[in-house]
Amino acid sequence: GAVVSQHPSRVICKSGTSVKIECRSLDFQATTMFWYRQFPKQSLMLMATSNEGSKATYEQGVEKDKFLINHASLTLSTLTVTSAHPEDSSFYICSARARVGGTDTQYFGPGTRLTVL
Amino acid sequence: AQTVTQSQPEMSVQEAETVTLSCTYDTSENNYYLFWYKQPPSRQMILVIRQEAYKQQNATENRFSVNFQKAAKSFSLKISDSQLGDTAMYFCAFMKHSAGSYQLTFGKGTKLSVIP
């Protein structure tokens, strides 16, 4: 149980285009999902918290107009990187919160590698 | 704000041996959760083990166990009978036990290599 999928796993796009990444909780409902960015050999950096039916909460320094987050259902959150540039190239990971055995836990998707040419 | 410190950037262990990864944290909270996640070369983050701070008993999951010392704010992970598949980055993480706040604070990670 508590499986999270992410699509696409890899994407290459041209500078100036927009890219949408989907995060789905497959066997549970997730009122809260998270989006992270991970640079090589570093830890995960939280970008935003996505709550179903409401606006996402962005971490300091993350441009909300550049990284659009939509959490329209209890099983789907999307991250759209608008007008992508080479510096946006990175590994993006989503997670979904589930309550298992009385404990809140984040379960992670497999990640999306974005390369902007 | 919470901080999580993993003081061992890299470690190695012989296959079948036991290894302990260190994690300390700083918080003023009394109720919280602690986690160890594993990130193998595939980069999929996998939950290894979790601990509720109010529980005194150390969590165990098969070959993985923790030594949770609440007063010392220490949460180490012991891997017994290490296997080649245990080679990965290991991240220690903290979560407040508070409704509406489910963010994880991660340590910088420990790269574990299991040597055949």
Side-chain angles (χ1 to χ4, degrees):
Chain A
V3 178
V4 177
S5 70
Q6 199 171 328
H7 178 80
S9 57
R10 294 178 183 235
V11 58
I12 301 173
C13 68
K14 293 182 179 180
S15 185
T17 61
S18 295
V19 174
K20 180 185 283 189
I21 303 170
E22 292 186 348
C23 178
R24 293 180 186 274
S25 57
L26 297 185
D27 51 0
F28 65 101
Q29 294 183 330
T31 55
T32 309
M33 291 184 171
F34 302 87
W35 287 95
Y36 296 86
R37 186 171 178 176
Q38 186 179 32
F39 293 102
K41 298 184 180 182
Q42 293 190 22
S43 188
L44 280 67
M45 181 188 78
L46 180 65
M47 299 175 65
T49 301
S50 168
N51 293 296
E52 186 268 336
S54 64
K55 291 184 178 180
T57 303
Y58 291 82
E59 295 301 301
Q60 192 172 10
V62 178
E63 300 176 57
K64 61 180 181 181
D65 294 330
K66 179 166 189 63
F67 298 100
L68 299 178
I69 291 172
N70 186 294
H71 192 160
S73 79
L74 288 172
T75 58
L76 174 64
S77 176
T78 60
L79 169 69
T80 301
V81 183
T82 62
S83 186
H85 289 94
E87 58 266 29
D88 299 323
S89 297
S90 191
F91 191 67
Y92 293 87
I93 308 175
C94 73
S95 72
R97 177 182 68 90
R99 194 164 182 87
V100 178
T103 302
D104 290 295
T105 302
Q106 286 189 29
Y107 293 91
F108 288 82
T112 296
R113 177 171 298 286
L114 171 63
T115 302
V116 185
L117 302 176
Chain B
Q2 286 67 230
T3 59
V4 177
T5 302
Q6 294 179 250
S7 58
Q8 306 149 316
E10 292 191 36
M11 292 191 72
S12 62
V13 61
Q14 290 289 137
E15 194 175 6
E17 296 296 308
T18 296
V19 63
T20 298
L21 308 184
S22 301
C23 173
T24 59
Y25 57 95
D26 189 25
T27 184
S28 58
E29 302 288 330
N30 191 47
N31 293 322
Y32 49 87
Y33 304 126
L34 294 163
F35 304 86
W36 279 98
Y37 285 92
K38 164 185 176 180
Q39 189 178 38
S42 67
R43 301 192 78 173
Q44 166 78 63
M45 291 284 284
I46 301 166
L47 176 67
V48 175
I49 199 165
R50 61 177 163 232
Q51 174 84 40
E52 294 89 342
Y54 67 87
K55 290 186 177 179
Q56 293 186 341
Q57 186 173 7
N58 289 323
T60 300
E61 287 288 342
N62 301 312
R63 298 183 294 108
F64 300 89
S65 61
V66 298
N67 183 0
F68 173 48
Q69 302 290 328
K70 191 173 184 179
K73 295 180 182 174
S74 172
F75 184 60
S76 61
L77 174 69
K78 185 171 82 171
I79 306 174
S80 304
D81 186 25
S82 297
Q83 300 176 0
L84 296 178
D86 296 333
T87 293
M89 281 289 290
Y90 286 81
F91 293 99
C92 179
F94 173 102
M95 179 192 289
K96 286 197 299 185
H97 186 190
S98 169
S101 175
Y102 308 106
Q103 293 181 358
L104 286 170
T105 301
F106 285 97
K108 291 188 175 182
T110 296
K111 183 179 181 181
L112 176 67
S113 299
V114 179
I115 303 167

